[in-house]
Amino acid sequence: MIVLGHPRAGSFCHALSDQVRTTLAAASLPVTVYDLYAEGFEPVRGGDALVERHRDELAHADGLVVVHPNWWGKPPAIVAGWLDRVIVPGVAYELPDAAGEPTGLLRLRGAVVLNTGDTPLGRERDVFGDPLDAIWRRCVLDFCGVPPSSVHRRLFGPLASSTERDRAAWLAEAADLCGTTFAER
């Protein structure tokens, strides 16, 4: 399952999503792509058929790829709304017991989070503590039963000053990462 959250169809996030889809399809892995902006995903409204389809797909997925830009150390609002509406009790986890421990329900063998941004990785990590890694690896996926060692995240950037050569290398890196993560085990 690929979840894409970027408002511009020609963005590098879209190129990453396309590259991952092509890589996984070439490995004969079934892939469903959800382009949240293109499908008009409503990040704040109540349940609907689209939300139910996302929940069902996630509950049965063996792998998850999330692609979005780093906006102020967090995902865009549409992706945050996807988290709020799709990653819910009974689908992704059961609420914590008296000891405070949740039961993760996701059966993902692996997850890959691909982000774009304009902050160099060293600054993102050293100054800001890499908030997107904390959100995805520790706060969301670990809570839902995906071991942190099975979550792989890559920040591509700085995007604004990147060259075509940089972007080609990043696309190849994303393909390799997803190919390795989701190879038949």
Side-chain angles (χ1 to χ4, degrees), residues 82-97:
W82 183 85
L83 285 167
D84 292 346
R85 298 189 66 213
V86 174
I87 310 287
V88 295
V91 172
Y93 62 91
E94 291 178 356
L95 292 171
D97 58 22

Side-chain angles (χ1 to χ4, degrees), residues 2-185:
I2 299 173
V3 177
L4 170 62
H6 196 288
R8 287 192 328 271
S11 72
F12 190 65
C13 282
H14 279 79
L16 286 166
S17 176
D18 290 345
Q19 181 68 48
V20 170
R21 180 186 43 77
T22 299
T23 299
L24 297 178
S28 299
L29 295 171
V31 180
T32 302
V33 179
Y34 292 105
D35 181 337
L36 300 178
Y37 283 95
E39 68 185 18
F41 186 87
E42 289 287 343
V44 295
R45 290 200 187 157
D48 58 29
L50 183 58
V51 170
E52 291 304 320
R53 188 168 58 224
H54 284 239
R55 288 176 181 175
D56 184 62
E57 178 81 22
L58 181 63
H60 294 94
D62 291 323
L64 175 66
V65 178
V66 181
V67 183
H68 67 78
N70 176 352
W71 286 355
W72 298 106
K74 61 182 185 50
I78 200 166
V79 177
W82 183 85
L83 285 167
D84 292 346
R85 298 189 66 213
V86 174
I87 310 287
V88 295
V91 172
Y93 62 91
E94 291 178 356
L95 292 171
D97 58 22
E101 293 296 321
T103 301
L105 300 178
L106 294 184
R107 59 182 235 177
L108 302 174
R109 293 183 307 146
V112 173
V113 179
L114 304 175
N115 302 125
T116 59
D118 285 322
T119 303
L121 179 59
R123 181 173 170 81
E124 189 71 26
R125 185 183 47 243
D126 300 339
V127 174
F128 303 118
D130 202 357
L132 283 173
D133 191 68
I135 289 168
W136 286 106
R137 184 184 311 273
R138 295 192 319 256
C139 298
V140 175
L141 294 168
D142 187 38
F143 192 87
C144 296
V146 183
S149 62
S150 297
V151 178
H152 308 279
R153 185 177 154 274
R154 179 66 168 91
L155 172 64
F156 297 103
L159 200 58
S161 62
S162 67
T163 65
E164 289 299 318
R165 186 177 190 172
D166 293 331
R167 291 177 184 215
W170 295 338
L171 290 171
E173 184 179 341
D176 288 346
L177 177 60
C178 289
T180 301
T181 300
F182 301 115
E184 292 298 323
R185 297 175 189 193

